[in-house]
Every structure is written in C-alpha cells, then in structure tokens.
Amino acid sequence: MLELRKLHETQMRMLYAGQMRRDFPPSELKELGTILGLMRRGVYEPLGVYDGEMLAAYTLIYRPEAGRMLLLDYLAVEPTRRGCGTGGEVLNLLRTHYSGCASALMIECERPCSAPDRETASRRIRFYERAGAKLTSVRIALFDVEYSILVLPCDDAWDEAGDWAEQILSLYRQMLPPHLFERHVRLLRA
C-alpha cells in the first residue's frame, strides 16, 4: 500500500541530486535553491510516495498562500514501477490528501501541437484524463513553452465552470516575482 510522506530539506536535496536530475531535463528543473526557498516559505510541499520503506514515486506541490487551487509542479514514478498504475494511485492519494483544503490540483502539460515529442505530450494528457483530470480551455505560455492546463478535482467544492484563466494567473502571480511573471507568463487564446 502506498503512503505519502512529506520530505524534509535534507531528503529534498538528495531527491534533487538523484531522482529529479534523472527524471527531468535540466530545462524543466527549477534550481534547488528556488525549491528550498519555497519550502522555507511554507508554500512548497515535496512528498515522497512510499511502498513500505521504498520510494515508489515523488511529487512536488506548490501551495499558494491564498486560494484553493494547488499546482502539481513535478510528478515522477520510479522507473521500475512505471506502466503499472503507480502514477494513477499517486494522483488518487493526492486527491484524498488535499480534500478539504484544496478544491483542485492544476496540472501543466506541454501542448502536443508545439511539443518536440508530440506523442509523449499527448500520452501525458491522456494519463491525467484517465485519472480524472479535466482539460480546460486555458492555454498558457511559460518561459516560451506552451502548456495546456488540466484540473484534477480534490473535493466537491470545485467549480467546473470556474474562471480557470484568472485562477491560474493568480497562482503564477503568487509563485513568481513580478518581473518574471510579466516577462514569462502569457495567456494564450485557444
């Protein structure tokens, strides 16, 4: 049975140096100092997903100081557990974990039409949709990469017809310094 455990700073450093560098290209990785700074501010939650004492997956969640929308910033499953349903289990654990304190998890997926690997981008979107995420009409450019935005409801309080564009922009405004937000966040029209 899988279990979520909050990671402390030393564990986060080890995860970053090992698994995160293995699982994500350098262009997708925030700097470790940025992650640790967000953790110290109490707005970033790294979670290990354990099967007993073995790490099965991990996820990093941005929890803004205001609002009930969280950002699923990173999610990766250990290579030996990929393709076995672990990712879907992790998403179900997250929904349960955040039920009552968050209405939904926002998920960024690179848009297939602009991704270097269109099939992988399409496969990611299908994975999240199978887990219950809803593809919104919001498209956003972050640091010149175009993303589709999906929303994974965490409880019954989420509003399917909500103003997702404004909620998402609000989240990025809280996450990024103003000069970076103005320069690198752009709402796209479908």
Side-chain angles (χ1 to χ4, degrees), residues 84-105:
C84 302
T86 301
E89 268 189 82
V90 170
L91 292 173
N92 283 331
L93 284 171
L94 291 172
R95 289 173 92 163
T96 301
H97 180 73
Y98 290 114
S99 178
C101 67
S103 59
L105 287 170

Side-chain angles (χ1 to χ4, degrees), residues 30-79:
K30 286 180 175 51
E31 291 183 15
L32 178 60
T34 300
I35 291 172
L36 295 175
L38 291 168
M39 285 175 62
R40 290 177 192 131
R41 280 183 36 211
V43 296
Y44 209 66
E45 189 168 48
L47 298 166
V49 183
Y50 288 87
D51 185 354
E53 292 307 309
M54 297 293 297
L55 184 69
Y58 61 91
T59 184
L60 283 73
I61 306 291
Y62 177 74
R63 299 183 65 167
E65 295 164 355
R68 291 181 38 86
M69 171 81 73
L70 309 180
L71 173 66
L72 177 68
D73 207 15
Y74 293 97
L75 170 63
V77 173
E78 283 297 304

Side-chain angles (χ1 to χ4, degrees), residues 18 28 61 83 87 92 94 97 112 118 129 143-144 148 186-187:
E28 291 182 17
I61 306 291
N92 283 331
L94 291 172
H97 180 73
R118 291 179 179 197
E129 287 179 320
F143 297 88
D144 299 322
S148 294
R186 201 169 29 93
L187 192 62

